[in-house]
Amino acid sequence: MEIRQLKYFVQIAKDQNFTIAAKQLFITQPTLSWTVKQLEEELGVKLFIANGKKLILTVEGEELLQHANYLLNEHQRVVELFQNRKDLVSGHIKVGIPTLFGAYFFMNSIMTFMEKYPKIKVTMHNFGSIAIQEMVEAGTIELGIVSYLFPSNTLAAIELPNTTYPIVVVASKKHPLAAKSSLTFADLKNAGFILLSEGYTVGELPIQACKKAGFTPNVILRSSEWDIICEAVANSSNISILPYPFLEKAHKENVAVIPINDPESIIPIAIITRKDREKSLPLQKFIQFILNDSLNAKL
């Protein structure tokens, strides 16, 4: 009898259905049915009986459920006991973080994490949020910290508190829109756009938001370089849409920054991992560390 088998058994008892339990466990229904059959053969008892579409525990099943819950709780307690010994934690994790986040939001947290867990090696991959999401889905990296506006069924997402950020319109100080106190996406109908590249959420969001406002934006230029975009905007009649924290920290004094009055202008940041992958101990430690820093508003 394995811990994995007991976890599967408890999930089935909770959902009373193979199909639902299999979805919750991210395994196939035949695998789940086979696991129950193995348990029943090992114990020599019937654990479930069918009642319509529901699976009902037998008397023996009820008894096993009590023991299974106890064993799983003890197993978790032992795991946590040793996980808390940071000097025993070692390994290598691959993390995807957009350049903006790595440079301005998470670098201090990551360096502090590495000081706390010196035996864990962290490799950072700096791309746009959409590109990072694709890398996590493909299994190239284990975790991403991204602007998460385009959910995927294969990914688990934990939204980070205290880390949302606004996007804003950026224009030359001579642009007619520069005098506005705020703008909506509809106000941008006649503008030419200089946007971030396709792999960036902030590069794709304005296009979708403009389409919702009733028009397709006229995209003149796209670039992955923030400085190039700001310089192009400052010396042309075109506009851009960029994250405000970048502009605030980069002190872009040669452009006008205009808030966007729209709920879609606030971007959440989330930790993403694949649902069907077990998280290594170093990865669990990293996730918890970033979450704690976020809760304490240290980012």
Side-chain angles (χ1 to χ4, degrees), residues 263-279:
E264 291 193 21
S265 68
I266 304 300
I267 312 297
I269 298 177
I271 294 174
I272 57 171
T273 55
R274 275 190 36 175
K275 290 179 179 178
D276 62 349
R277 293 285 179 90
E278 288 288 335
K279 296 180 182 66

Side-chain angles (χ1 to χ4, degrees), residues 96-102 106 125-137 141 143-150 155 165 196-204 226 243 267-272:
I97 305 179
T99 303
L100 172 67
F101 299 169
F106 293 98
H125 298 262
N126 303 119
F127 299 97
S129 290
I130 295 174
I132 289 171
Q133 182 170 326
E134 292 171 351
M135 292 174 72
V136 174
E137 288 180 304
I141 57 178
L143 175 146
I145 302 177
V146 298
S147 302
Y148 194 59
L149 294 179
F150 308 110
L155 297 178
Y165 66 89
L196 283 165
S197 301
E198 287 84 351
Y200 290 84
T201 297
V202 180
E204 294 302 308
W226 314 82
I267 312 297
I269 298 177
I271 294 174
I272 57 171

Side-chain angles (χ1 to χ4, degrees), residues 5-267:
Q5 291 175 308
L6 292 178
K7 286 182 178 178
Y8 290 0
F9 167 74
V10 169
Q11 190 67 49
I12 298 167
K14 177 183 177 182
D15 295 322
Q16 297 184 312
N17 184 282
F18 277 126
T19 302
I20 297 173
K23 288 181 179 178
Q24 294 295 322
L25 295 164
F26 304 104
I27 60 174
T28 64
Q29 184 174 332
T31 299
L32 200 55
S33 300
W34 176 248
T35 300
V36 171
K37 184 179 179 181
Q38 285 181 311
L39 267 177
E40 289 179 333
E41 289 178 353
E42 181 179 351
L43 298 174
V45 295
K46 190 78 173 173
L47 298 174
F48 295 97
I49 56 174
N51 182 8
K53 293 184 178 180
K54 287 186 176 182
L55 292 172
I56 307 299
L57 286 168
T58 62
V59 173
E60 292 81 6
E62 291 280 4
E63 187 175 359
L64 176 60
L65 182 62
Q66 294 181 24
H67 290 291
N69 281 324
Y70 172 78
L71 290 171
L72 290 174
N73 287 335
E74 284 298 296
H75 173 263
Q76 184 61 32
R77 189 181 68 82
V78 172
V79 169
E80 290 176 356
L81 174 66
F82 284 92
Q83 282 183 350
N84 288 330
R85 299 182 181 180
K86 65 182 182 183
D87 56 321
L88 298 179
V89 182
S90 63
H92 180 202
I93 56 178
K94 298 176 183 179
V95 180
I97 305 179
T99 303
L100 172 67
F101 299 169
Y104 297 114
F105 294 151
F106 293 98
M107 204 64 247
N108 287 340
S109 295
I110 292 171
M111 296 309 297
T112 304
F113 171 83
M114 294 176 71
E115 289 175 5
K116 184 175 181 180
Y117 297 99
K119 294 184 180 181
I120 298 179
K121 178 183 177 182
V122 178
T123 299
M124 279 204 308
H125 298 262
N126 303 119
F127 299 97
S129 290
I130 295 174
I132 289 171
Q133 182 170 326
E134 292 171 351
M135 292 174 72
V136 174
E137 288 180 304
T140 308
I141 57 178
E142 299 155 281
L143 175 146
I145 302 177
V146 298
S147 302
Y148 194 59
L149 294 179
F150 308 110
S152 167
N153 292 331
T154 63
L155 297 178
I158 305 172
E159 188 169 328
L160 293 173
N162 305 317
T163 59
T164 58
Y165 66 89
I167 55 173
V168 294
V169 174
V170 183
S172 164
K173 290 186 175 181
K174 298 178 182 179
H175 197 287
L177 295 177
K180 301 286 186 179
S181 59
S182 67
L183 294 165
T184 65
F185 285 104
D187 294 329
L188 309 179
K189 183 175 181 178
N190 298 319
F193 285 75
I194 299 175
L195 296 177
L196 283 165
S197 301
E198 287 84 351
Y200 290 84
T201 297
V202 180
E204 294 302 308
L205 173 62
I207 296 175
Q208 295 192 10
C210 288
K211 287 180 178 179
K212 286 183 181 180
F215 69 99
T216 299
N218 179 23
V219 181
I220 306 296
L221 174 69
R222 303 193 79 153
S223 173
S224 61
E225 298 296 328
W226 314 82
D227 288 337
I228 289 176
I229 292 175
C230 286
E231 192 65 24
V233 165
N235 293 283
S236 73
S237 60
N238 302 303
I239 66 168
S240 186
I241 294 179
L242 293 173
Y244 179 69
F246 166 77
L247 296 159
E248 183 182 35
K249 289 181 178 290
H251 303 293
K252 296 297 179 182
E253 298 174 354
N254 59 338
V255 293
V257 176
I258 309 102
I260 300 175
N261 185 19
D262 189 293
E264 291 193 21
S265 68
I266 304 300
I267 312 297

